[in-house]
Amino acid sequence: MKIAVAGTGYVGLVTGVCMADRGHFVTCVDINEQKVATMNAGKSPIFEPGIEELMVRNMDRLHFTTEYNTAYKDAEVIFIGVGTPEKKDGSANLSYVYEVAVQIAQSIERSCVVVVKSTVPIGTNDKIEQLIRSNLKNDVTVHVVSNPEFLAQGSAVKDTLHASRIVIGVEDSYAAEVLREVYKSYECPLVITNRKSAEMIKYASNDFLALKISFINEIANLCEVIGANIEDVAIGMGYDSRIGNKFLNAGIGYGGSCFPKDTKALHWLASFHDYELKTVKAAIDVNENQKLKLIKKSRKYFDSLKGLDIAVLGLTFKPGTDDLREAPTLVNIPFMLEEGANVKAWDPVGVDNFKKLYPVGVNYCDSIFETLRDTDICFIFTEWDDVKKLNLTYYSDLMRTPIVLDGRNCYELQKARETRIIYDSIGREVIYNM
Ligand code: UGA
């Protein structure tokens, strides 16, 4: 099929490339000329495992352009995958989605199906349809479909090609048939429903996962107080298939471009309809507190961070991505600097992005060893493999005082017991062995 995709961020680019891989002819549109030139050369502007190989392999069916008019005019299906960032009041900013809707309306010369992949508040698909219909230049018919995305950064290609389910929100059977054709090579369940339910499935899924993380983080905090071990607790819970063993890793809170934004957006939407979404509000509040958990722990060892040499391992919101959006480091590192600490930081892929935000003040290191050398305390914010594989003796050998605060439970407690360090992680016994 002839497909156009608006936006080449995580959702748009991965959708376009995977559609081409499944045999469709795809043109992806982005406003940034340099980015388009990079992508036409087979290079990905985002760090995402597997995406470049797939781009290169499908270049004969994949094209990138800034000219939306050419891309949309005769497409059979147009995906909208542009961002819906958070506004100051917590609601979703829909201006990019609406802008694309008007561009589509003014460009199309044939009837087509517009598929909204961007995460949009419930009811937005109806507005998009009205907006397109009222701005049409030609006598054509447009069907709008909600088709939310469930890919996670770092595993986006795998999540798309081997999707757990495909959700299709339609208001007519013709649109459903077109989407069945688009996804005919997929073997996963198709959930066909109305548009509002599809929009809600996306928010409810993300908010449920955020709630699961905040729940396990609270239980972890309680484990610390009463002397239980959160990892054993999570294993014990996870064997119950009604609970499941995924997303029960306690840590310093969820970040990224989705959970923080989508919890706030659904809470905002509920308030707008005079309904208080108490569980989602709790997930948000717990997460805000959890992000500062390691700073609170540091007070056990030092009254203030002033003058301390701090090692920071990991800057991104999770491993496998260079994305910093809502990463716990964005609240922790400014706090450290404000208190007068000297911060050295390491991350395998996130340094360039962090440098854009903090060009001065942080000493960026190329290796973990350089980062740890002669420091008073270490904060682990991201569970990169290089951190997890590190022999703990490097902490005792390189640091001035080997106090390791681990926000991602990277090490087994037994390993810490065998090393001369203080190891303070989330929801587990503190190992004092100095
Ligand atoms: C999330 C969802 O997992 C995807 O299904 C969804 O499609 C996507 O949002 C989206 O809406 O676009 P993503 O934000 O890329 O994907 O990352 P996750 O792997 O879900 O991790 C989010 C945060 O939760 C990370 O900070 C991670 O460290 C944290 N997390 C995750 C935990 O603290 N504990 C866990 O057990 C799992």
Side-chain angles (χ1 to χ4, degrees):
M1 295 179 93
K2 199 167 182 332
I3 290 177
V5 182
T8 59
Y10 280 96
V11 171
L13 181 61
V14 175
T15 300
V17 174
C18 291
M19 286 290 160
D21 192 59
R22 292 300 169 110
H24 299 299
F25 292 88
V26 182
T27 304
C28 298
V29 180
D30 200 285
I31 48 172
N32 184 328
E33 276 186 26
Q34 204 188 335
K35 213 172 147 189
V36 163
T38 307
M39 293 185 286
N40 273 326
K43 295 244 169 291
S44 168
I46 54 168
F47 176 83
E48 191 58 48
I51 189 87
E52 272 189 9
E53 289 88 317
L54 216 59
M55 281 170 86
V56 171
R57 203 188 323 145
N58 293 292
M59 253 352 207
D60 52 339
R61 281 190 301 276
L62 192 55
H63 180 63
F64 299 91
T65 183
T66 52
E67 287 170 24
Y68 64 80
N69 188 44
T70 328
Y72 301 153
K73 69 176 182 190
D74 58 350
E76 294 169 83
V77 177
I78 304 173
F79 282 92
I80 301 182
V82 293
T84 54
E86 183 185 319
K87 287 206 283 197
K88 279 210 171 83
D89 62 1
S91 64
N93 176 356
L94 297 170
S95 57
Y96 304 111
V97 172
Y98 289 150
E99 196 180 326
V100 168
V102 173
Q103 289 170 347
I104 290 173
Q106 294 178 341
S107 308
I108 51 176
E109 293 174 7
R110 60 173 289 178
S111 296
C112 67
V113 175
V114 172
V115 186
V116 181
K117 270 217 168 284
S118 307
T119 301
V120 291
I122 294 100
T124 306
N125 273 262
D126 294 354
K127 289 189 196 142
I128 293 172
E129 189 167 78
Q130 285 155 14
L131 193 61
I132 295 179
R133 287 188 178 161
S134 58
N135 280 280
L136 282 175
K137 267 176 65 181
N138 295 303
D139 182 19
V140 293
T141 310
V142 176
H143 303 258
V144 172
V145 176
S146 167
N147 173 218
E149 185 51 64
F150 301 101
L151 59 82
Q153 287 176 225
S155 55
V157 171
K158 186 177 120 271
D159 293 345
T160 304
L161 291 178
H162 305 283
S164 52
R165 75 291 207 192
I166 289 164
V167 173
I168 296 173
V170 285
E171 299 299 319
D172 61 273
S173 57
Y174 170 77
E177 281 320 303
V178 173
L179 267 285
R180 275 188 201 279
E181 181 64 22
V182 168
Y183 286 111
K184 76 171 179 212
S185 62
Y186 284 70
E187 276 161 12
C188 62
L190 284 189
V191 180
I192 300 191
T193 179
N194 63 27
R195 283 199 299 235
K196 283 189 177 151
S197 305
E199 291 168 327
M200 182 57 107
I201 288 171
K202 172 64 189 183
Y203 276 103
S205 301
N206 271 5
D207 289 16
F208 186 80
L209 292 172
L211 193 52
K212 200 170 179 188
I213 297 169
S214 278
F215 178 80
I216 204 69
N217 283 340
E218 279 218 292
I219 297 296
N221 296 344
L222 192 56
C223 282
E224 286 180 16
V225 180
I226 61 171
N229 179 308
I230 191 61
E231 289 191 331
D232 293 345
V233 171
I235 290 170
M237 289 167 66
Y239 279 116
D240 185 330
S241 60
R242 293 169 302 174
I243 296 172
N245 60 9
K246 306 231 169 66
F247 273 66
L248 286 178
N249 296 320
I252 35 153
Y254 58 78
S257 62
C258 309
F259 293 166
K261 165 175 82 72
D262 295 347
T263 43
K264 286 182 210 155
L266 195 63
H267 183 259
W268 186 92
L269 187 87
S271 313
F272 182 77
H273 291 282
D274 283 332
Y275 186 79
E276 202 196 342
L277 213 46
K278 289 185 187 153
T279 49
V280 173
K281 177 76 169 67
I284 297 168
D285 293 344
V286 168
N287 200 56
E288 289 307 308
N289 278 326
Q290 199 70 10
K291 281 188 178 176
L292 288 168
K293 180 89 186 160
L294 294 189
I295 296 276
K296 286 180 203 138
K297 280 182 182 286
S298 74
R299 295 292 192 240
K300 287 195 258 176
Y301 310 101
F302 300 102
D303 292 338
S304 150
L305 301 177
K306 191 169 189 314
L308 291 186
D309 290 305
I310 296 182
V312 166
L313 299 184
L315 294 168
T316 56
F317 80 94
K318 68 170 187 177
T321 176
D322 61 355
D323 201 329
L324 296 171
R325 283 176 284 180
E326 301 281 342
T329 43
L330 295 179
V331 285
N332 282 278
I333 291 183
F335 185 97
M336 293 169 183
L337 295 174
E338 225 160 84
E339 245 186 30
N342 307 310
V343 178
K344 290 203 266 178
W346 170 89
D347 190 285
V349 294
V351 166
D352 286 349
N353 285 342
F354 209 85
K355 253 188 202 165
K356 285 181 203 149
L357 301 171
Y358 294 94
V360 289
V362 178
N363 177 4
Y364 298 98
C365 299
D366 291 332
S367 75
I368 295 181
F369 313 113
E370 204 188 317
T371 316
L372 294 178
R373 199 179 305 281
D374 296 329
T375 51
D376 300 297
I377 187 163
C378 172
F379 288 70
I380 301 176
F381 290 114
T382 322
E383 68 277 34
W384 285 105
D385 272 348
D386 290 356
V387 176
K388 290 202 290 190
K389 283 188 200 143
L390 194 71
N391 191 320
L392 294 188
T393 52
Y394 283 112
Y395 292 103
S396 55
D397 291 351
L398 295 171
M399 293 177 70
R400 196 178 297 134
T401 44
I403 301 172
V404 181
L405 307 185
D406 183 357
R408 297 293 181 189
N409 290 356
C410 292
Y411 307 113
E412 285 167 24
L413 292 183
Q414 188 48 35
K415 292 246 165 71
R417 282 191 196 100
E418 291 160 9
T419 319
R420 298 201 69 76
I421 59 172
I422 291 179
Y423 180 62
D424 199 337
S425 52
I426 306 288
R428 303 189 297 178
E429 178 196 348
V430 181
I431 308 298
Y432 292 95
N433 193 17
M434 241 165 65

